[in-house]
Amino acid sequence: MRKKIVAGNWKMNLDYTSGIGLFSEIVNMVNDEVMGEQHVIVCPPYVHLGAICQLAKTHNKVSVGAQNCHQAQSGAYTGEVSAPMLQSVGVNYVILGHSERRQYFAENNALLAEKVNSALQHQLSPIFCIGETLDQRNDNSYFDVIKRQLAEGLFHLTESQFANVVLAYEPVWAIGTGLTATPEQAQEIHEFIRNEVRSKYGEGTASDLSILYGGSCNPKNAAELFAKPDIDGGLIGGASLKSRDFVDIIKSFSL
Ligand code: PEP
């Protein structure tokens, strides 16, 4: 069944004490204030994950995700972290294909397809990010870009594997810039993504898929975005670092 999801991507922010503090605040506020079926995911840096997974076990409203994983299970890859390692500390989700990974770490669709496979083999649901740059939007190639990201990164999966994927449409020009796609611009792409998934996997898979919007989403614009029929929630960067803003975004769904 399609889920309403808000996922927080902390990126490379917050030392250990501050991270545990923020997570505790979020858990308490979600428990006290959030009614309904929203699914909340928090994606801290690697070093916080073990402790945060332990805290998350004490209630059932917030899940934990990582921000990346390596495609191999183990081996001589200094500095990397694998999907089975994440699974072993209790992580349930992993962000893959974030534009910052594509841009700064040269991650391409072929590599991301391998990471997706490794995540799924270890019961991690990928939150798979796709989206166009400003140049691609301006030269009108953005539908092709998104089509290719889907085809090369995900469409090798079987239907039952794909059912574990969450998609995030994140126009690169809106990430961390304060520029947000209008609800109409976002809906247009979300509908396109769902149609691509429908053509590949059929109606059931397409209507069950959660597609999140990401890019300067905040408590002021979330309600309008989340009201669109193909927008099932948000992947939140900057605003996920403030518990009040993050929880207000979670409460923005019209239930
Ligand atoms: C992100 O990093 O996924 C993101 C959407 O960031 P921001 O909300 O800060 O634009």
Side-chain angles (χ1 to χ4, degrees), residues 121-197:
Q121 270 163 28
H122 297 93
Q123 285 70 54
L124 301 175
S125 293
I127 301 172
F128 193 81
C129 303
I130 57 180
E132 79 284 0
T133 62
L134 190 57
D135 284 349
Q136 290 163 339
R137 175 145 288 258
N138 288 339
D139 70 14
N140 280 321
S141 62
Y142 52 102
F143 287 110
D144 290 339
V145 169
I146 284 162
K147 204 177 163 96
R148 202 164 52 244
Q149 289 170 335
L150 286 170
E152 296 177 4
L154 289 177
F155 281 1
H156 62 288
L157 298 175
T158 64
E159 192 181 339
S160 68
Q161 288 173 323
F162 188 86
N164 296 304
V165 172
V166 173
L167 272 167
Y169 168 59
E170 299 208 303
V172 180
W173 46 273
I175 297 179
T177 58
L179 292 173
T180 316
T182 64
E184 292 69 31
Q185 283 173 321
Q187 167 58 26
E188 180 187 41
I189 303 291
H190 283 232
E191 187 180 2
F192 173 75
I193 293 168
R194 204 177 299 284
N195 284 337
E196 289 294 300
V197 171

Side-chain angles (χ1 to χ4, degrees), residues 1-193:
M1 206 185 71
R2 198 191 301 188
K3 288 185 192 147
K4 293 179 188 301
I5 298 175
V6 175
N9 174 14
W10 291 1
K11 312 194 188 191
M12 196 175 71
N13 290 301
L14 304 178
D15 67 16
Y16 184 76
T17 308
S18 315
I20 301 297
L22 176 60
F23 188 77
S24 304
E25 277 174 31
I26 290 169
V27 165
N28 291 334
M29 290 166 80
V30 167
N31 279 342
D32 290 348
E33 300 176 34
V34 177
M35 308 296 161
E37 297 300 312
Q38 305 97 318
H39 194 73
V40 182
I41 306 168
V42 171
C43 303
Y46 286 136
V47 292
H48 303 47
L49 284 173
I52 285 185
C53 284
Q54 287 302 318
L55 283 173
K57 270 191 198 159
T58 57
H59 63 92
N60 59 10
K61 272 214 164 175
V62 180
S63 301
V64 183
Q67 297 172 22
N68 180 32
C69 70
H70 194 269
Q71 62 277 21
Q73 310 218 354
S74 62
Y77 301 104
T78 302
E80 290 293 322
V81 172
S82 70
M85 291 173 186
L86 297 175
Q87 182 189 28
S88 73
V89 294
V91 169
N92 295 121
Y93 291 87
V94 59
I95 298 172
L96 292 175
H98 193 283
S99 62
E100 289 153 14
R101 302 279 332 162
R102 291 177 188 264
Q103 185 181 351
Y104 305 134
F105 301 93
E107 295 195 358
N108 59 27
N109 294 330
L111 173 70
L112 292 168
E114 289 184 52
K115 292 190 176 207
V116 166
N117 293 344
S118 186
L120 289 171
Q121 270 163 28
H122 297 93
Q123 285 70 54
L124 301 175
S125 293
I127 301 172
F128 193 81
C129 303
I130 57 180
E132 79 284 0
T133 62
L134 190 57
D135 284 349
Q136 290 163 339
R137 175 145 288 258
N138 288 339
D139 70 14
N140 280 321
S141 62
Y142 52 102
F143 287 110
D144 290 339
V145 169
I146 284 162
K147 204 177 163 96
R148 202 164 52 244
Q149 289 170 335
L150 286 170
E152 296 177 4
L154 289 177
F155 281 1
H156 62 288
L157 298 175
T158 64
E159 192 181 339
S160 68
Q161 288 173 323
F162 188 86
N164 296 304
V165 172
V166 173
L167 272 167
Y169 168 59
E170 299 208 303
V172 180
W173 46 273
I175 297 179
T177 58
L179 292 173
T180 316
T182 64
E184 292 69 31
Q185 283 173 321
Q187 167 58 26
E188 180 187 41
I189 303 291
H190 283 232
E191 187 180 2
F192 173 75
I193 293 168

